[in-house]
Amino acid sequence: MTPTFDDIESAAKQIVGAAHKTPVATSRTINARTGAEVFFKCENLQRAGAFKFRGAYNALSRFTPDERRRGVVTFSSGNHAQAIALAGQVLGIPRVIVMPSDAPEVKRIATEGYGGEVILYDRDKEDREAIGKRLASERGLTLVPPYDHPHIIAGQGTATRELIEEVGALDLLFVPCGGGGLLSGSAIAANAMEANCKVIGVEPAAGDDGARSFRTKTLQTVNNPKTVADGARTPSLGSLTFPLVLQYVADMVTVDDPTLLKTMFYLWERLKLVVEPTGALGAAAALAGTTPIRGLRVGVILSGGNVDLTQMPAWIQYR
Ligand SMILES: *Cc1c(COP(=O)(O)O)cnc(C)c1O
């Protein structure tokens, strides 16, 4: 069941015409400032505003006719929910989405806008996986989790496949990490296409379970971390993603929230790209100077752009 580069190639064919081939942005200012050549893969411009549409469409378009008729259930704090809601709409598949009651309102409203049935739960008291599994068995729905699924991982890997296909060899690739679906898919693709490309996973400092798991080689968890990177508040890497991260990822680093927000605003101002906090994790690590990038060709996945603008009053002080 562990996905391979062949599965990413297959996913790339599967999503053609449905997902956008997103642009790659560059900035002379950033290149001059870092002494590197930095390529930003703009998944904030992907359909539904994040790379998650890639995995969601890859998974749902492979449903059997019977599975399509019965529908899909998933749990997500936001972007995977929107992606499943939209992919299901495109494919005509009924979809039930289990979301935390404190998920950003923009993400809940967008999910409902794509025609998903949203069921809210209390993050502190209830287990979203258990709710998802119960709905799956009660209603005959197929569960498609946000990251620990071979079709999801393979779909997410297509962003890096496109990036390397477009810009050529990279020395380093910075990838935001929550449950590790994007990171493991990216790392499989990078290793297959450019064996010398080092892939770096980036987490918010408060949710550093993946970095600790990577260092100790034992799965570590974190409970409901407080961070503006709401797309990376996952409790741990998955049973599929963790071994892939250990096998293919060169290092895991973390970024604190003030640095993350500062980078996010910098991307808005310099690149004119609206990126959400989680989406700026890779850029924050690349620009922080803690991992040397001078003289290198560096890829950065800007993973999403679904900003909750109601948070601006609290965030703007970090600009
Ligand atoms: C989901 C998400 C991530 C993390 O992806 P995982 O596959 O869970 O590691 C990063 N950035 C954004 C914008 C996301 O929506």
Side-chain angles (χ1 to χ4, degrees), residues 147-149 153 179-181 184 236-246:
Y147 50 86
D148 217 23
H149 186 292
I153 295 169
S184 48
S236 71
L237 297 172
S239 57
L240 279 178
T241 59
F242 180 41
L244 288 167
V245 165
L246 285 182

Side-chain angles (χ1 to χ4, degrees), residues 49-52 79-80 107 146-147 156 176-183 231-232 234 276 278-279 281 303-305:
F51 70 90
K52 294 248 176 33
N79 285 337
H80 177 68
K107 296 192 177 179
Y147 50 86
Q156 319 308 33
C177 177
L182 178 65
L183 178 57
T234 39
E276 65 186 270
T278 317
L281 280 167
S303 52

